[in-house]
Amino acid sequence: MELLRAKRIAEAGEIVPVTYEGKRVIIQHVDEGREMARIYFADEPEREQDVPVRLLEEM
């Protein structure tokens, strides 16, 4: 996923279908400098982690 698109999704406040390693995730925040996204898994909201934006895929 492109950095700008990830940032727009995070700021939109709406649910956009995004996956990380094949699992649905929600983007909370994007760190442009590090090109990392803070995400949590849709089916495990307590499981948060930072991942490279380039590994996210919009469905």
Side-chain angles (χ1 to χ4, degrees):
M1 176 176 290
E2 293 181 9
L3 188 64
L4 184 56
R5 179 62 180 144
K7 188 172 179 178
R8 284 186 182 151
I9 291 171
E11 292 174 350
E14 61 188 64
I15 302 298
V16 176
V18 175
T19 61
Y20 172 69
E21 296 184 341
K23 292 189 172 186
R24 293 271 320 258
V25 297
I26 308 299
I27 302 173
Q28 294 179 294
H29 173 75
V30 175
D31 182 331
E32 290 182 73
R34 294 177 42 226
E35 296 188 5
M36 298 288 282
R38 182 71 173 177
I39 57 111
Y40 65 88
F41 291 85
D43 61 347
E44 296 178 77
E46 70 283 350
R47 185 176 165 201
E48 297 180 10
Q49 64 188 78
D50 293 327
V51 300
V53 170
R54 64 181 168 73
L55 298 180
L56 297 173
E57 293 184 21
E58 186 172 1
M59 298 171 54

Short mmCIF file of all heavy atoms in Angstrom, two decimals:
data_model
loop_
_atom_site.label_atom_id
_atom_site.label_comp_id
_atom_site.label_asym_id
_atom_site.label_seq_id
_atom_site.Cartn_x
_atom_site.Cartn_y
_atom_site.Cartn_z
N MET A 1 0.85 -1.17 0.00
CA MET A 1 0.00 0.00 0.00
C MET A 1 0.90 1.23 0.00
O MET A 1 1.97 1.23 0.60
CB MET A 1 -0.90 -0.02 1.24
CG MET A 1 -1.77 1.21 1.37
SD MET A 1 -2.92 1.14 2.76
CE MET A 1 -4.05 -0.10 2.17
N GLU A 2 0.43 2.27 -0.65
CA GLU A 2 1.17 3.52 -0.66
C GLU A 2 0.96 4.26 0.65
O GLU A 2 -0.10 4.19 1.27
CB GLU A 2 0.71 4.39 -1.82
CG GLU A 2 1.06 3.82 -3.17
CD GLU A 2 0.61 4.72 -4.31
OE1 GLU A 2 0.18 5.86 -4.06
OE2 GLU A 2 0.69 4.26 -5.45
N LEU A 3 1.98 4.99 1.06
CA LEU A 3 1.97 5.71 2.33
C LEU A 3 0.81 6.70 2.41
O LEU A 3 0.09 6.74 3.42
CB LEU A 3 3.31 6.44 2.50
CG LEU A 3 3.58 7.10 3.82
CD1 LEU A 3 3.65 6.05 4.93
CD2 LEU A 3 4.87 7.88 3.77
N LEU A 4 0.59 7.47 1.37
CA LEU A 4 -0.47 8.47 1.39
C LEU A 4 -1.85 7.82 1.52
O LEU A 4 -2.71 8.31 2.26
CB LEU A 4 -0.42 9.33 0.12
CG LEU A 4 -1.41 10.48 0.04
CD1 LEU A 4 -1.28 11.42 1.24
CD2 LEU A 4 -1.22 11.25 -1.25
N ARG A 5 -2.07 6.70 0.85
CA ARG A 5 -3.36 6.01 0.94
C ARG A 5 -3.58 5.50 2.36
O ARG A 5 -4.68 5.63 2.91
CB ARG A 5 -3.43 4.85 -0.06
CG ARG A 5 -4.72 4.08 0.00
CD ARG A 5 -5.91 4.92 -0.35
NE ARG A 5 -7.14 4.13 -0.28
CZ ARG A 5 -8.30 4.59 0.14
NH1 ARG A 5 -8.44 5.86 0.49
NH2 ARG A 5 -9.35 3.81 0.20
N ALA A 6 -2.56 4.93 2.96
CA ALA A 6 -2.68 4.43 4.34
C ALA A 6 -3.02 5.57 5.29
O ALA A 6 -3.86 5.42 6.18
CB ALA A 6 -1.39 3.74 4.76
N LYS A 7 -2.38 6.70 5.09
CA LYS A 7 -2.64 7.86 5.95
C LYS A 7 -4.08 8.33 5.79
O LYS A 7 -4.76 8.64 6.76
CB LYS A 7 -1.66 8.98 5.62
CG LYS A 7 -1.74 10.13 6.57
CD LYS A 7 -0.65 11.13 6.34
CE LYS A 7 -0.82 12.26 7.33
NZ LYS A 7 0.18 13.26 7.23
N ARG A 8 -4.57 8.37 4.55
CA ARG A 8 -5.96 8.78 4.30
C ARG A 8 -6.95 7.84 4.97
O ARG A 8 -7.95 8.26 5.53
CB ARG A 8 -6.24 8.85 2.81
CG ARG A 8 -5.65 10.06 2.16
CD ARG A 8 -6.07 10.17 0.72
NE ARG A 8 -5.45 11.32 0.11
CZ ARG A 8 -5.15 11.39 -1.18
NH1 ARG A 8 -5.42 10.38 -1.99
NH2 ARG A 8 -4.58 12.47 -1.67
N ILE A 9 -6.68 6.55 4.89
CA ILE A 9 -7.56 5.56 5.53
C ILE A 9 -7.58 5.78 7.04
O ILE A 9 -8.64 5.78 7.67
CB ILE A 9 -7.12 4.13 5.19
CG1 ILE A 9 -7.39 3.85 3.70
CG2 ILE A 9 -7.84 3.10 6.07
CD1 ILE A 9 -6.80 2.54 3.20
N ALA A 10 -6.40 5.96 7.64
CA ALA A 10 -6.31 6.15 9.09
C ALA A 10 -7.06 7.41 9.52
O ALA A 10 -7.73 7.42 10.56
CB ALA A 10 -4.85 6.23 9.52
N GLU A 11 -6.96 8.48 8.74
CA GLU A 11 -7.58 9.75 9.12
C GLU A 11 -9.07 9.81 8.80
O GLU A 11 -9.79 10.62 9.37
CB GLU A 11 -6.85 10.90 8.41
CG GLU A 11 -5.43 11.09 8.92
CD GLU A 11 -4.64 12.12 8.14
OE1 GLU A 11 -5.12 12.56 7.06
OE2 GLU A 11 -3.54 12.46 8.59
N ALA A 12 -9.53 8.96 7.90
CA ALA A 12 -10.93 8.99 7.47
C ALA A 12 -11.89 8.58 8.58
O ALA A 12 -13.03 9.02 8.61
CB ALA A 12 -11.13 8.10 6.25
N GLY A 13 -11.46 7.72 9.46
CA GLY A 13 -12.32 7.27 10.54
C GLY A 13 -13.39 6.29 10.10
O GLY A 13 -14.32 6.01 10.82
N GLU A 14 -13.26 5.78 8.88
CA GLU A 14 -14.21 4.79 8.39
C GLU A 14 -13.49 3.45 8.23
O GLU A 14 -12.27 3.40 8.16
CB GLU A 14 -14.81 5.23 7.06
CG GLU A 14 -13.77 5.40 5.97
CD GLU A 14 -14.35 6.02 4.71
OE1 GLU A 14 -14.79 7.16 4.77
OE2 GLU A 14 -14.33 5.33 3.68
N ILE A 15 -14.26 2.40 8.20
CA ILE A 15 -13.68 1.08 8.06
C ILE A 15 -13.46 0.79 6.58
O ILE A 15 -14.40 0.75 5.79
CB ILE A 15 -14.60 -0.01 8.67
CG1 ILE A 15 -14.85 0.30 10.15
CG2 ILE A 15 -14.00 -1.39 8.49
CD1 ILE A 15 -13.62 0.31 11.03
N VAL A 16 -12.21 0.64 6.22
CA VAL A 16 -11.81 0.29 4.85
C VAL A 16 -11.18 -1.08 4.92
O VAL A 16 -10.34 -1.33 5.79
CB VAL A 16 -10.81 1.33 4.29
CG1 VAL A 16 -10.33 0.93 2.92
CG2 VAL A 16 -11.46 2.71 4.25
N PRO A 17 -11.57 -2.01 4.04
CA PRO A 17 -11.00 -3.35 4.10
C PRO A 17 -9.51 -3.37 3.75
O PRO A 17 -9.13 -3.12 2.61
CB PRO A 17 -11.82 -4.17 3.11
CG PRO A 17 -12.70 -3.22 2.38
CD PRO A 17 -12.59 -1.89 3.01
N VAL A 18 -8.70 -3.62 4.77
CA VAL A 18 -7.25 -3.68 4.63
C VAL A 18 -6.78 -4.97 5.28
O VAL A 18 -7.32 -5.39 6.32
CB VAL A 18 -6.58 -2.47 5.33
CG1 VAL A 18 -5.06 -2.58 5.30
CG2 VAL A 18 -7.02 -1.16 4.68
N THR A 19 -5.77 -5.60 4.69
CA THR A 19 -5.22 -6.82 5.28
C THR A 19 -3.72 -6.68 5.52
O THR A 19 -3.03 -5.90 4.85
CB THR A 19 -5.45 -8.06 4.38
OG1 THR A 19 -4.79 -7.87 3.13
CG2 THR A 19 -6.92 -8.32 4.17
N TYR A 20 -3.26 -7.45 6.48
CA TYR A 20 -1.85 -7.60 6.77
C TYR A 20 -1.62 -9.09 6.97
O TYR A 20 -2.28 -9.71 7.81
CB TYR A 20 -1.45 -6.82 8.03
CG TYR A 20 -0.05 -7.10 8.49
CD1 TYR A 20 1.04 -6.68 7.73
CD2 TYR A 20 0.20 -7.80 9.65
CE1 TYR A 20 2.33 -6.95 8.14
CE2 TYR A 20 1.48 -8.07 10.07
CZ TYR A 20 2.56 -7.64 9.32
OH TYR A 20 3.84 -7.92 9.72
N GLU A 21 -0.75 -9.65 6.15
CA GLU A 21 -0.49 -11.10 6.17
C GLU A 21 -1.79 -11.91 6.07
O GLU A 21 -1.98 -12.90 6.76
CB GLU A 21 0.31 -11.49 7.41
CG GLU A 21 1.70 -10.86 7.43
CD GLU A 21 2.54 -11.32 8.60
OE1 GLU A 21 2.01 -11.82 9.62
OE2 GLU A 21 3.77 -11.16 8.50
N GLY A 22 -2.72 -11.42 5.25
CA GLY A 22 -3.96 -12.14 4.99
C GLY A 22 -5.06 -11.96 6.01
O GLY A 22 -6.14 -12.51 5.86
N LYS A 23 -4.82 -11.17 7.06
CA LYS A 23 -5.83 -10.94 8.09
C LYS A 23 -6.32 -9.50 8.04
O LYS A 23 -5.53 -8.58 7.82
CB LYS A 23 -5.27 -11.22 9.49
CG LYS A 23 -4.98 -12.68 9.74
CD LYS A 23 -4.65 -12.88 11.20
CE LYS A 23 -4.54 -14.36 11.52
NZ LYS A 23 -4.37 -14.57 12.95
N ARG A 24 -7.64 -9.32 8.26
CA ARG A 24 -8.22 -7.97 8.28
C ARG A 24 -7.66 -7.16 9.44
O ARG A 24 -7.59 -7.65 10.57
CB ARG A 24 -9.74 -8.05 8.43
CG ARG A 24 -10.50 -8.62 7.29
CD ARG A 24 -10.92 -7.64 6.22
NE ARG A 24 -11.39 -6.35 6.68
CZ ARG A 24 -12.67 -5.99 6.76
NH1 ARG A 24 -13.62 -6.82 6.44
NH2 ARG A 24 -12.97 -4.77 7.16
N VAL A 25 -7.28 -5.92 9.14
CA VAL A 25 -6.74 -5.03 10.16
C VAL A 25 -7.37 -3.65 10.04
O VAL A 25 -7.95 -3.29 9.02
CB VAL A 25 -5.20 -4.89 10.05
CG1 VAL A 25 -4.52 -6.22 10.29
CG2 VAL A 25 -4.78 -4.28 8.72
N ILE A 26 -7.23 -2.89 11.12
CA ILE A 26 -7.66 -1.50 11.17
C ILE A 26 -6.39 -0.66 11.36
O ILE A 26 -5.59 -0.93 12.24
CB ILE A 26 -8.61 -1.23 12.37
CG1 ILE A 26 -9.77 -2.23 12.37
CG2 ILE A 26 -9.08 0.21 12.37
CD1 ILE A 26 -10.66 -2.22 11.17
N ILE A 27 -6.24 0.37 10.52
CA ILE A 27 -5.09 1.27 10.64
C ILE A 27 -5.44 2.37 11.63
O ILE A 27 -6.42 3.09 11.45
CB ILE A 27 -4.73 1.90 9.28
CG1 ILE A 27 -4.42 0.82 8.24
CG2 ILE A 27 -3.53 2.85 9.44
CD1 ILE A 27 -4.22 1.36 6.83
N GLN A 28 -4.64 2.49 12.68
CA GLN A 28 -4.88 3.52 13.69
C GLN A 28 -4.12 4.80 13.39
O GLN A 28 -4.63 5.89 13.59
CB GLN A 28 -4.46 3.01 15.07
CG GLN A 28 -5.29 1.88 15.57
CD GLN A 28 -4.79 1.42 16.92
OE1 GLN A 28 -3.69 0.90 17.03
NE2 GLN A 28 -5.60 1.61 17.93
N HIS A 29 -2.88 4.65 12.96
CA HIS A 29 -2.00 5.80 12.77
C HIS A 29 -0.91 5.43 11.78
O HIS A 29 -0.49 4.26 11.72
CB HIS A 29 -1.38 6.20 14.12
CG HIS A 29 -0.34 7.27 14.00
ND1 HIS A 29 -0.66 8.59 13.79
CD2 HIS A 29 1.00 7.22 14.05
CE1 HIS A 29 0.46 9.29 13.72
NE2 HIS A 29 1.47 8.48 13.88
N VAL A 30 -0.43 6.42 11.04
CA VAL A 30 0.67 6.20 10.11
C VAL A 30 1.81 7.16 10.46
O VAL A 30 1.60 8.36 10.59
CB VAL A 30 0.24 6.44 8.65
CG1 VAL A 30 1.42 6.32 7.70
CG2 VAL A 30 -0.85 5.44 8.26
N ASP A 31 3.00 6.60 10.65
CA ASP A 31 4.21 7.38 10.91
C ASP A 31 4.92 7.54 9.57
O ASP A 31 5.56 6.60 9.09
CB ASP A 31 5.10 6.65 11.91
CG ASP A 31 6.36 7.42 12.26
OD1 ASP A 31 6.84 8.20 11.41
OD2 ASP A 31 6.87 7.22 13.37
N GLU A 32 4.77 8.71 8.95
CA GLU A 32 5.32 8.93 7.62
C GLU A 32 6.84 8.82 7.60
O GLU A 32 7.41 8.28 6.65
CB GLU A 32 4.90 10.30 7.10
CG GLU A 32 3.44 10.40 6.77
CD GLU A 32 3.08 11.74 6.19
OE1 GLU A 32 3.44 12.00 5.03
OE2 GLU A 32 2.44 12.53 6.92
N GLY A 33 7.49 9.35 8.61
CA GLY A 33 8.95 9.33 8.67
C GLY A 33 9.52 7.92 8.67
O GLY A 33 10.53 7.64 8.01
N ARG A 34 8.87 7.03 9.39
CA ARG A 34 9.34 5.64 9.48
C ARG A 34 8.66 4.74 8.47
O ARG A 34 9.03 3.58 8.34
CB ARG A 34 9.07 5.11 10.90
CG ARG A 34 9.87 5.80 11.96
CD ARG A 34 9.55 5.32 13.38
NE ARG A 34 9.38 3.89 13.49
CZ ARG A 34 8.39 3.27 14.15
NH1 ARG A 34 7.48 3.99 14.77
NH2 ARG A 34 8.31 1.98 14.20
N GLU A 35 7.62 5.26 7.79
CA GLU A 35 6.81 4.48 6.85
C GLU A 35 6.23 3.23 7.52
O GLU A 35 6.22 2.14 6.96
CB GLU A 35 7.59 4.14 5.58
CG GLU A 35 7.98 5.36 4.79
CD GLU A 35 8.59 5.08 3.45
OE1 GLU A 35 8.67 3.90 3.04
OE2 GLU A 35 9.00 6.06 2.79
N MET A 36 5.74 3.45 8.75
CA MET A 36 5.15 2.38 9.54
C MET A 36 3.71 2.76 9.89
O MET A 36 3.37 3.93 9.99
CB MET A 36 5.93 2.16 10.83
CG MET A 36 7.38 1.74 10.63
SD MET A 36 7.54 0.06 10.03
CE MET A 36 7.26 -0.86 11.54
N ALA A 37 2.88 1.73 10.05
CA ALA A 37 1.49 1.94 10.44
C ALA A 37 1.23 1.21 11.75
O ALA A 37 1.69 0.08 11.95
CB ALA A 37 0.55 1.41 9.36
N ARG A 38 0.50 1.86 12.64
CA ARG A 38 0.03 1.22 13.87
C ARG A 38 -1.31 0.60 13.53
O ARG A 38 -2.24 1.29 13.12
CB ARG A 38 -0.12 2.26 14.98
CG ARG A 38 -0.55 1.68 16.30
CD ARG A 38 0.59 0.90 16.89
NE ARG A 38 0.26 0.46 18.22
CZ ARG A 38 1.05 -0.28 18.94
NH1 ARG A 38 2.21 -0.67 18.48
NH2 ARG A 38 0.71 -0.66 20.14
N ILE A 39 -1.40 -0.72 13.66
CA ILE A 39 -2.62 -1.43 13.29
C ILE A 39 -3.09 -2.31 14.44
O ILE A 39 -2.35 -2.58 15.38
CB ILE A 39 -2.40 -2.31 12.03
CG1 ILE A 39 -1.25 -3.33 12.23
CG2 ILE A 39 -2.07 -1.46 10.83
CD1 ILE A 39 -1.72 -4.74 12.31
N TYR A 40 -4.35 -2.74 14.33
CA TYR A 40 -4.82 -3.82 15.19
C TYR A 40 -5.66 -4.74 14.32
O TYR A 40 -6.19 -4.34 13.29
CB TYR A 40 -5.56 -3.33 16.44
CG TYR A 40 -6.86 -2.61 16.20
CD1 TYR A 40 -8.06 -3.31 16.10
CD2 TYR A 40 -6.90 -1.22 16.12
CE1 TYR A 40 -9.27 -2.65 15.91
CE2 TYR A 40 -8.10 -0.55 15.93
CZ TYR A 40 -9.27 -1.28 15.82
OH TYR A 40 -10.45 -0.62 15.64
N PHE A 41 -5.74 -5.98 14.74
CA PHE A 41 -6.45 -6.99 13.97
C PHE A 41 -7.95 -6.88 14.25
O PHE A 41 -8.36 -6.74 15.40
CB PHE A 41 -5.93 -8.39 14.31
CG PHE A 41 -4.53 -8.61 13.81
CD1 PHE A 41 -3.44 -8.20 14.54
CD2 PHE A 41 -4.31 -9.20 12.57
CE1 PHE A 41 -2.14 -8.37 14.07
CE2 PHE A 41 -3.03 -9.38 12.09
CZ PHE A 41 -1.95 -8.95 12.84
N ALA A 42 -8.77 -6.94 13.20
CA ALA A 42 -10.21 -6.78 13.33
C ALA A 42 -10.82 -7.80 14.29
O ALA A 42 -11.73 -7.47 15.05
CB ALA A 42 -10.88 -6.87 11.96
N ASP A 43 -10.30 -9.02 14.28
CA ASP A 43 -10.86 -10.05 15.15
C ASP A 43 -10.12 -10.17 16.49
O ASP A 43 -10.50 -10.96 17.34
CB ASP A 43 -10.88 -11.41 14.44
CG ASP A 43 -9.50 -11.89 14.03
OD1 ASP A 43 -8.53 -11.10 14.07
OD2 ASP A 43 -9.37 -13.08 13.67
N GLU A 44 -9.07 -9.36 16.68
CA GLU A 44 -8.31 -9.34 17.94
C GLU A 44 -7.92 -7.89 18.24
O GLU A 44 -6.75 -7.53 18.12
CB GLU A 44 -7.04 -10.19 17.82
CG GLU A 44 -7.25 -11.66 17.59
CD GLU A 44 -5.92 -12.38 17.45
OE1 GLU A 44 -5.28 -12.60 18.50
OE2 GLU A 44 -5.53 -12.67 16.32
N PRO A 45 -8.87 -7.04 18.63
CA PRO A 45 -8.56 -5.62 18.81
C PRO A 45 -7.48 -5.33 19.85
O PRO A 45 -6.85 -4.28 19.81
CB PRO A 45 -9.89 -5.00 19.22
CG PRO A 45 -10.87 -6.10 19.34
CD PRO A 45 -10.26 -7.36 18.85
N GLU A 46 -7.25 -6.26 20.75
CA GLU A 46 -6.20 -6.05 21.76
C GLU A 46 -4.80 -6.29 21.20
O GLU A 46 -3.81 -5.93 21.80
CB GLU A 46 -6.44 -6.95 22.98
CG GLU A 46 -6.22 -8.43 22.75
CD GLU A 46 -7.34 -9.15 21.99
OE1 GLU A 46 -8.41 -8.59 21.77
OE2 GLU A 46 -7.10 -10.31 21.62
N ARG A 47 -4.73 -6.86 20.01
CA ARG A 47 -3.44 -7.19 19.38
C ARG A 47 -3.00 -6.06 18.45
O ARG A 47 -3.30 -6.05 17.27
CB ARG A 47 -3.58 -8.50 18.61
CG ARG A 47 -2.29 -9.01 18.03
CD ARG A 47 -2.49 -10.35 17.39
NE ARG A 47 -1.37 -10.68 16.54
CZ ARG A 47 -1.40 -11.55 15.56
NH1 ARG A 47 -2.52 -12.21 15.31
NH2 ARG A 47 -0.34 -11.78 14.84
N GLU A 48 -2.27 -5.10 19.01
CA GLU A 48 -1.78 -3.96 18.25
C GLU A 48 -0.31 -4.17 17.91
O GLU A 48 0.42 -4.80 18.66
CB GLU A 48 -1.91 -2.67 19.05
CG GLU A 48 -3.31 -2.29 19.40
CD GLU A 48 -3.38 -1.01 20.19
OE1 GLU A 48 -2.36 -0.31 20.31
OE2 GLU A 48 -4.46 -0.71 20.69
N GLN A 49 0.10 -3.62 16.77
CA GLN A 49 1.51 -3.67 16.42
C GLN A 49 1.82 -2.66 15.33
O GLN A 49 0.93 -2.17 14.65
CB GLN A 49 1.93 -5.07 15.99
CG GLN A 49 1.27 -5.60 14.73
CD GLN A 49 1.59 -7.06 14.50
OE1 GLN A 49 1.00 -7.92 15.14
NE2 GLN A 49 2.50 -7.32 13.59
N ASP A 50 3.10 -2.33 15.19
CA ASP A 50 3.58 -1.47 14.13
C ASP A 50 4.08 -2.35 13.00
O ASP A 50 4.83 -3.31 13.24
CB ASP A 50 4.71 -0.58 14.62
CG ASP A 50 4.24 0.44 15.65
OD1 ASP A 50 3.09 0.88 15.55
OD2 ASP A 50 5.03 0.79 16.54
N VAL A 51 3.66 -2.03 11.76
CA VAL A 51 4.05 -2.82 10.60
C VAL A 51 4.43 -1.86 9.47
O VAL A 51 3.94 -0.73 9.41
CB VAL A 51 2.93 -3.77 10.13
CG1 VAL A 51 2.57 -4.75 11.22
CG2 VAL A 51 1.71 -3.00 9.68
N PRO A 52 5.29 -2.31 8.54
CA PRO A 52 5.62 -1.47 7.38
C PRO A 52 4.38 -1.24 6.52
O PRO A 52 3.65 -2.19 6.22
CB PRO A 52 6.66 -2.29 6.62
CG PRO A 52 7.21 -3.27 7.63
CD PRO A 52 6.08 -3.54 8.57
N VAL A 53 4.14 0.00 6.14
CA VAL A 53 2.98 0.33 5.32
C VAL A 53 2.97 -0.48 4.03
O VAL A 53 1.93 -0.92 3.56
CB VAL A 53 2.94 1.85 5.02
CG1 VAL A 53 1.89 2.19 3.98
CG2 VAL A 53 2.71 2.64 6.30
N ARG A 54 4.13 -0.71 3.45
CA ARG A 54 4.22 -1.43 2.16
C ARG A 54 3.67 -2.85 2.24
O ARG A 54 3.35 -3.44 1.21
CB ARG A 54 5.65 -1.42 1.64
CG ARG A 54 6.63 -2.15 2.52
CD ARG A 54 8.05 -2.09 1.97
NE ARG A 54 9.02 -2.54 2.93
CZ ARG A 54 9.22 -3.79 3.31
NH1 ARG A 54 8.50 -4.75 2.76
NH2 ARG A 54 10.12 -4.10 4.20
N LEU A 55 3.53 -3.40 3.45
CA LEU A 55 3.01 -4.76 3.59
C LEU A 55 1.49 -4.81 3.76
O LEU A 55 0.90 -5.89 3.84
CB LEU A 55 3.69 -5.47 4.75
CG LEU A 55 5.21 -5.67 4.62
CD1 LEU A 55 5.77 -6.39 5.83
CD2 LEU A 55 5.54 -6.41 3.34
N LEU A 56 0.85 -3.65 3.83
CA LEU A 56 -0.61 -3.60 3.94
C LEU A 56 -1.22 -3.67 2.54
O LEU A 56 -0.66 -3.12 1.59
CB LEU A 56 -1.04 -2.31 4.63
CG LEU A 56 -0.57 -2.12 6.07
CD1 LEU A 56 -0.94 -0.72 6.55
CD2 LEU A 56 -1.13 -3.19 6.97
N GLU A 57 -2.37 -4.34 2.45
CA GLU A 57 -3.06 -4.44 1.17
C GLU A 57 -4.51 -4.04 1.34
O GLU A 57 -5.19 -4.50 2.25
CB GLU A 57 -3.00 -5.88 0.66
CG GLU A 57 -1.61 -6.32 0.28
CD GLU A 57 -1.58 -7.72 -0.33
OE1 GLU A 57 -2.63 -8.17 -0.82
OE2 GLU A 57 -0.52 -8.33 -0.30
N GLU A 58 -4.95 -3.17 0.43
CA GLU A 58 -6.36 -2.78 0.43
C GLU A 58 -7.12 -3.78 -0.41
O GLU A 58 -6.71 -4.14 -1.51
CB GLU A 58 -6.51 -1.37 -0.15
CG GLU A 58 -7.92 -0.84 -0.05
CD GLU A 58 -8.03 0.61 -0.44
OE1 GLU A 58 -7.03 1.24 -0.82
OE2 GLU A 58 -9.15 1.13 -0.35
N MET A 59 -8.25 -4.25 0.12
CA MET A 59 -9.04 -5.26 -0.59
C MET A 59 -10.01 -4.61 -1.56
O MET A 59 -10.38 -3.52 -1.46
CB MET A 59 -9.79 -6.10 0.42
CG MET A 59 -8.87 -6.84 1.35
SD MET A 59 -9.69 -7.66 2.74
CE MET A 59 -10.89 -8.65 1.95
#
